[in-house]
Structure formats: C-alpha cells, structure tokens
Amino acid sequence: RVAELKDEQLYGQGHERPEWQFCPICALPIPFPVINHSVFNVCCMKRICHGCNVAAHKHKRGLYDCLFCRTVPPVNEAEELAMIQARAAKKDPVAIFYLGLKYCHGTIGLQKDMQRAVELWTEAAELGSSEALYNLGVAHDYGDGEGAQQDKVKSYECFKKAAMQGHVESRHSLGANEVNNANYDRAVKHLLISANIGYENSLTVIKLMFTRGLATKEQYCEALKGYQNALEES
C-alpha cells in the first residue's frame, strides 16, 4: 500500500508546466526547448519569449532595457556576474542555480568548478528549483568524478522530485529509465505526462514503443492528441 501511495503521488503530480516556463509578458508557455525560444535576463532572473522580445525591441529603436524590470542589461561579464551574485545572495533559487551553471561551464570569468556547481544546485534545489534538481539528477546519473559521484538512486530521486514539480525533461528521463529497465507500463505513464505537456521527445519514444508492440495504439493516440493540444496553447 505504501508503494501504491508513492506511485499515486509520482504519477498524479507534475502535469502542468512550472511558472518559470511561461513568458511573464504575454503569459503564454514558451515552446520547448525553452532556452532556444527565449532570452534570459540576469537582472530579474526572468525568461522572455522571443516573440515578446523581438516585438518590443522593434518599437524601442535600439533601447534594450529589460522588458520585465526595466533594468539596463550588463555590458560585460563582470557586470553579469555581479548581478547574478547579488540575486544569489538574496537566496533567489533561480540565481543560485544559474550561478551553478556558470561554475559548471567555467564562463563569465569563473573557473570551471563542478564541486561548487553541485553545491549551488543542491542549495537551489532545497529552495525549490526544479532545474537544479534535474541538473543534480544528470550529474549523479553519469558521475563526473569531481562534484558528483555516480549514484543512480540519488539521480532517480532528483528526477522524481523535479518531475513532480512539472519539470518535463525530468519526467522524460524517468520514462526513458523505465524503458531501459523493461518496465514498459511505468514508462508509458511517465511519457504520456511529458508528451501531454508538449515534449516532442516523449511522443517520439511512445511512437517507437507502439511500432515495437510495447505501447498500445490508444496510448500513442492519447500522446499525440495531448502533444498537439499543448502546441496549440503555446
């Protein structure tokens, strides 16, 4: 019964996209992949969809202040880092996560430091960042020998927590993991959720499972319909 209750929570939560994946200007969901269809402003830690960004700047004639908070954007890496650190110091989970990304890749003047990146992602996750949970899941799934040791159990827990917050890549990862473990019924449950949110990769996997007899025609049709509905909303 305990296992059933856990599954009810796992599959019953995270059916809607998190707030940060909606443009704060037009209030529409940003198409996937989110980073390819939006700009990220370090001044306020908000993502603006490309549509709003382009439309606004056409009328501004070269004045590129932030559409959300009206702050002038940083002109160099030092200013960008200072803005991120200022928000992180105020315990903004998005800023802490983003600072972790910079340490992960060694950009904006920071030396690459995976241990520091994992520390920051852990802090951001504790403050509610599903993105941080996902990155921790990836780090522990593969292990980098520096900041995170390979730990499949910890990776699964991170993906699970993020998926229950609506993080679609985490939900897809759970589904893919169940496919690899030949738990096809559980896999389809996960992949249906992420396909219905609008994640094309999940639809592709369900289609492949259907062609191989691992998912039913009804399940594939449900995924296709949900995916198409999600696209119409974005």
Side-chain angles (χ1 to χ4, degrees):
R1 181 54 183 165
V2 174
E4 291 179 5
L5 289 174
K6 288 184 177 181
D7 276 352
E8 286 179 8
Q9 292 180 324
L10 177 58
Y11 296 113
Q13 299 178 23
H15 289 239
E16 297 181 356
R17 296 177 64 175
E19 183 180 353
W20 63 267
Q21 291 186 355
F22 288 76
C23 175
I25 305 301
C26 66
L28 292 175
I30 301 172
F32 293 113
V34 172
I35 61 173
N36 292 347
H37 295 89
S38 63
V39 293
F40 184 75
N41 296 327
V42 297
C43 46
C44 55
M45 300 293 148
K46 298 293 184 182
R47 283 197 175 277
I48 310 296
C49 74
H50 281 329
C52 288
N53 190 57
V54 171
H57 289 156
K58 278 184 178 179
H59 298 289
K60 290 190 174 184
R61 300 179 182 179
L63 299 176
Y64 292 97
D65 56 327
C66 175
L67 293 181
F68 186 78
C69 69
R70 305 303 180 186
T71 300
V72 177
V75 296
N76 53 46
E77 291 183 343
E79 285 191 12
E80 181 178 357
L81 178 58
M83 282 187 173
I84 298 171
Q85 289 175 327
R87 298 280 302 192
K90 295 179 180 179
K91 300 301 180 182
D92 182 332
V94 180
I96 296 170
F97 162 75
Y98 201 64
L99 184 58
L101 278 184
K102 298 307 180 184
Y103 274 106
C104 174
H105 299 295
T107 56
I108 62 170
L110 295 173
Q111 185 175 353
K112 184 175 180 179
D113 186 341
M114 273 304 298
Q115 183 173 347
R116 181 59 179 149
V118 169
E119 290 173 354
L120 288 165
W121 291 340
T122 300
E123 182 181 357
E126 292 172 350
L127 292 171
S129 171
S130 59
E131 287 186 284
L133 281 167
Y134 173 72
N135 277 49
L136 287 171
V138 173
H140 287 297
D141 190 25
Y142 296 100
D144 55 36
E146 298 176 17
Q149 300 299 318
Q150 188 176 49
D151 187 332
K152 295 292 185 178
V153 173
K154 186 175 289 188
S155 173
Y156 172 80
E157 287 300 317
C158 289
F159 286 145
K160 183 176 73 171
K161 290 177 181 177
M164 291 167 66
Q165 294 179 30
H167 193 276
V168 70
E169 290 90 348
S170 295
R171 181 68 71 176
H172 179 82
S173 294
L174 291 176
N177 184 63
E178 295 293 5
V179 170
N180 293 335
N181 292 330
N183 297 322
Y184 302 120
D185 288 341
R186 295 180 66 85
V188 170
K189 287 182 180 179
H190 285 301
L191 296 170
L192 275 173
I193 294 172
S194 43
N196 287 337
I197 295 176
Y199 197 58
E200 186 177 6
N201 290 356
S202 296
L203 176 63
T204 300
V205 174
I206 291 180
K207 180 180 180 180
L208 182 61
M209 292 177 69
F210 167 57
T211 61
R212 295 182 178 179
L214 302 175
T216 66
K217 180 180 179 179
E218 290 74 18
Q219 289 170 328
Y220 172 57
C221 289
E222 180 184 347
L224 181 60
K225 182 179 179 180
Y227 172 76
Q228 292 173 335
N229 289 340
L231 286 188
E232 291 175 1
E233 295 175 359
S234 62

